[in-house]
Amino acid sequence: METPSSRYASRCAVCGKPARVFLGSTSYCQDCYNRLADYLAGVQSPSNDSYQILALDPAGHTVEFSLERYSFGARSVWTAVEQVPADDPRREWGYVGRSVSIAVDASKVSQDEAYDALMVKVQHMVGHASMRTAPLSLGEAEATTAQRPGRALHANETGVARVEVDEDGGKSVVVDGQRFTPEQFVDLLSCWDGFDVYWQVRGVADEPPAWL
């Protein structure tokens, strides 16, 4: 009997690489699946589905993203996922990395154009900080839970947050790749006490807002 672990340990029926897509009893790696879906839809495949994207954050640090594409016939979804090494100390305080996606009609937009568009979106998202840090002032450690060792965190005037619910129903908010509890997120906004907050919900593949 096939188990989940044995299924995901199977190999691509075309090239023998580890399989990631399973259509009935046939397994495919990502590249072979994409080429098959492109062929059936009459879409030109890019030469490579796996790229790296480098972007600069507001502090001038280089941020690395791994890019993946999934073809759904005429529609393709491109996703860039920030690479966070296992030994990165930021993981200790809930750094999960950022994810940026676009969805395109491959019959109207070339794969190269889609890749270029995703690069621009990644730079927009990474280049805009949604929060800032400041040294903890006297007594502030008790006043706010949105902090890192010796530093308090405060929301900027404009920002992006992603709401996540885990399999156990736990709720969190991810800002600049950092995970916060609902209470911590409210503390993050407490620097704007007395101000109104406006929000707009967007999908991960939507275009960034005009102010970003």
Side-chain angles (χ1 to χ4, degrees):
M1 178 182 294
E2 182 184 59
T3 65
S5 60
S6 65
R7 183 188 190 200
Y8 287 98
S10 60
R11 297 283 174 171
C12 175
V14 178
C15 69
K17 293 180 182 177
R20 297 185 62 181
V21 180
F22 305 90
L23 302 178
S25 60
T26 306
S27 304
Y28 298 94
C29 70
Q30 180 184 342
D31 288 344
C32 290
Y33 162 76
N34 282 340
R35 283 193 288 270
L36 174 63
D38 289 342
Y39 171 77
L40 294 175
V43 173
Q44 180 67 40
S45 295
S47 57
N48 189 354
D49 281 335
S50 300
Y51 301 87
Q52 299 297 115
I53 292 180
L54 300 180
L56 294 178
D57 67 13
H61 301 134
T62 301
V63 184
E64 180 181 350
F65 286 78
S66 179
L67 177 61
E68 293 184 340
R69 179 182 73 97
Y70 276 102
S71 174
F72 301 95
R75 184 178 175 84
S76 291
V77 176
W78 297 69
T79 301
V81 179
E82 183 179 358
Q83 302 302 290
V84 185
D87 60 350
D88 193 314
R90 295 176 299 174
R91 284 184 177 269
E92 296 181 5
W93 30 264
Y95 196 90
V96 295
R98 288 158 285 192
S99 177
V100 183
S101 296
I102 62 169
V104 299
D105 184 341
S107 66
K108 299 178 181 178
V109 178
S110 73
Q111 306 290 12
D112 288 339
E113 290 172 321
Y115 172 67
D116 290 343
L118 183 59
M119 285 189 64
V120 171
K121 186 174 181 180
V122 166
Q123 188 60 69
H124 279 166
M125 298 296 291
V126 174
H128 179 88
S130 296
M131 61 184 179
R132 63 188 185 278
T133 67
L136 278 170
S137 58
L138 184 64
E140 192 172 13
E142 292 77 25
T144 178
T145 61
Q147 56 183 271
R148 298 291 176 249
R151 310 285 294 181
L153 304 178
H154 303 291
N156 285 331
E157 274 189 316
T158 58
V160 177
R162 184 175 72 250
V163 178
E164 290 190 348
V165 180
D166 63 30
E167 58 185 14
D168 297 321
K171 300 177 178 64
S172 59
V173 182
V174 178
V175 182
D176 289 348
Q178 302 182 41
R179 189 184 304 278
F180 298 94
T181 65
E183 179 186 21
Q184 290 171 327
F185 182 63
V186 171
D187 279 347
L188 193 66
L189 295 169
S190 63
C191 62
W192 299 105
D193 183 31
F195 287 76
D196 289 338
V197 176
Y198 297 82
W199 68 86
Q200 184 177 55
V201 177
R202 289 173 176 261
V204 294
D206 292 340
E207 285 299 306
W211 49 260
L212 191 61

